[in-house]
Amino acid sequence: MPEEPAYFEDWIDDDGQGVGPWKIACTMTRAGEKLKFDFSGTDPQSPSSVNFYLSTAMFKMFVGICLLVVHDTNVVANDGFHDLVDVVIPEGTLLRPIRPAALSCRTHLLGRLMDVLSGLLGQRAPEFMTAAGFSDSPHFMYSGYRQNGEWFQLYWIGFGGIPARPIGDGPDGHCLWPAMKAIPNEFLEHYYPLRISTFDTVPSTGGAGLHRGGNAQRIHWRFLEPGTISIHDDRWLSKPWGVLGGEPGARSTKTLVREGGTREVLASKQDHIHVHEGDVLEWVTWGGGGWGNPLKRDPEIVALEVRRKLVTVEGARRYGVVLKGDLSVDGEGTEELRRKMREEEGARGDQEKGIFNRGGSWEELKAKALVETGLPPPKAPWEVELRGPMTRLPYFEKWKREYGGITKT
């Protein structure tokens, strides 16, 4: 690692109370044999429950495992690196909240830390960098009383699109955490008053790239008893960024279809939504970001994935691939389309410009939020009056003066 500092920031979109985005900022430096990670610039703790009290020892473990298994696979994972990593987390921030602070939605920041770490280390070795993934543990809850008076309560964790990697595509509809596995639909339908009418991944929701980001998970939950549902999710406004010319993955969406056909767009963090028999929740997580220039992907692989319903026909054009009626590659059409796309990229001067592709600045994403998502954009934390124990700390005043904005990337 060079001694020149590397800086990266990422966000969770909102706190469930209409305020966001909430920023994690980190600067990585090397002094001699030690790496230092300084989270100064991270937003103050939230009055809502998106705070995550980050264990310094656990973060050191993340750093060490990433460096060992990604950058030097010959070294057995061990704890000898802990003394070589320093971590600075200012008190009163999202990652070091002071009492009282709610933490029940902390998994949003836990997952996003993986993206931040990849963004920091990847700047010094881009060939080892992964894109951003669904980076979360999307939670779904359904509870109530059956007609016979028996109480039911489901707590379920969803999956999503894994980011594309230097060695290949991101898995589709997969879990980030190795210890978690999908619960069989038959089990859920047997023990809970529901039916799963759709369980698949959404074609072309993974970011296009030389290596494709994993596709999002899609589940349609049909409720057989009245009750309440709760959703804890993210990436409904921001997009999982692509890297090295790769495109960002698609956003998450949650839509409640009432028995009469009325469709309601739900927020990503919403509790105690009343549902009735026959209502359907259309649950879609988000895709992983792409890695590398999509125009360098083998057209035959793109065509194969269209036939396998992993990429749509229109989505194939994001790779500059034109297909015939039988879904085989149109060689001449593909060559011509790719030539035009390269010329357009050259004219814009944006071909592989920079490392990260977030799909637009925060100003642009917010301006299009209502049209593209059906939900109004959140208010920035500095646009509301934050209350809490952190306001007594010097860091809070410093944040208001120096960090009360979003760095454009």
Side-chain angles (χ1 to χ4, degrees), residues 8-10 12 24 37 39 52 54 58-63 65-66 70 95 106-122 128-137 162-163 176-178 235 241 356:
F8 192 73
E9 58 187 38
D10 209 341
I12 55 173
I24 310 175
F37 294 85
F39 286 91
F52 172 51
L54 176 59
M58 184 172 72
F59 184 73
K60 288 183 178 183
M61 179 188 69
F62 292 162
V63 174
I65 292 296
C66 183
V70 175
L95 301 178
R106 61 190 177 276
T107 52
H108 304 307
L109 284 173
L110 170 60
R112 207 54 44 84
L113 274 172
M114 306 298 181
D115 288 342
V116 171
L117 187 57
S118 176
L120 286 169
L121 297 175
F128 291 113
M129 177 188 288
T130 64
F134 77 101
S135 308
D136 196 355
S137 292
I162 301 297
L176 281 178
W177 319 112
R235 288 290 197 202
W241 32 270
F356 307 100

Side-chain angles (χ1 to χ4, degrees), residues 21-224:
W22 295 86
K23 179 174 67 176
I24 310 175
C26 189
T27 301
M28 180 183 70
T29 56
R30 182 178 69 82
E33 295 297 319
K34 282 195 171 186
L35 273 180
K36 179 181 178 180
F37 294 85
D38 187 347
F39 286 91
S40 296
T42 296
D43 282 343
Q45 69 189 67
S46 169
S48 186
S49 60
V50 294
N51 305 292
F52 172 51
Y53 195 97
L54 176 59
S55 163
T56 299
M58 184 172 72
F59 184 73
K60 288 183 178 183
M61 179 188 69
F62 292 162
V63 174
I65 292 296
C66 183
L67 289 174
L68 290 178
V69 303
V70 175
H71 297 274
D72 192 347
T73 57
N74 295 316
V75 178
V76 177
N78 63 86
D79 62 357
F81 53 77
H82 279 235
D83 292 339
L84 302 177
V85 179
D86 289 332
V87 183
V88 177
I89 308 173
E91 189 178 41
T93 61
L94 290 166
L95 301 178
R96 189 53 58 83
I98 59 176
R99 292 176 180 271
L103 306 173
S104 64
C105 284
R106 61 190 177 276
T107 52
H108 304 307
L109 284 173
L110 170 60
R112 207 54 44 84
L113 274 172
M114 306 298 181
D115 288 342
V116 171
L117 187 57
S118 176
L120 286 169
L121 297 175
Q123 290 179 53
R124 294 294 171 258
E127 66 274 17
F128 291 113
M129 177 188 288
T130 64
F134 77 101
S135 308
D136 196 355
S137 292
H139 294 173
F140 166 64
M141 287 146 276
Y142 171 43
S143 61
Y145 284 98
R146 298 177 185 266
Q147 191 173 17
N148 62 7
E150 181 183 31
W151 173 259
F152 64 89
Q153 183 170 317
L154 170 65
Y155 175 76
W156 183 86
I157 298 177
F159 303 156
I162 301 297
R165 305 157 292 166
I167 61 172
D169 298 344
D172 303 303
H174 203 277
C175 179
L176 281 178
W177 319 112
M180 292 186 182
K181 301 183 184 300
I183 302 173
N185 293 349
E186 295 81 1
F187 178 94
L188 294 171
E189 293 180 344
H190 179 75
Y191 285 99
Y192 298 96
L194 55 82
R195 291 292 181 268
I196 297 173
S197 56
T198 299
F199 191 106
D200 61 5
T201 60
V202 186
S204 287
T205 49
L210 171 62
H211 301 309
R212 176 178 61 80
N215 285 328
Q217 179 189 63
R218 174 171 53 193
I219 301 177
H220 290 181
W221 304 86
R222 179 177 295 277
F223 306 113
L224 304 183

Side-chain angles (χ1 to χ4, degrees), residues 4-16:
E4 180 184 358
Y7 174 82
F8 192 73
E9 58 187 38
D10 209 341
W11 307 269
I12 55 173
D13 292 351
D14 71 300
D15 61 359

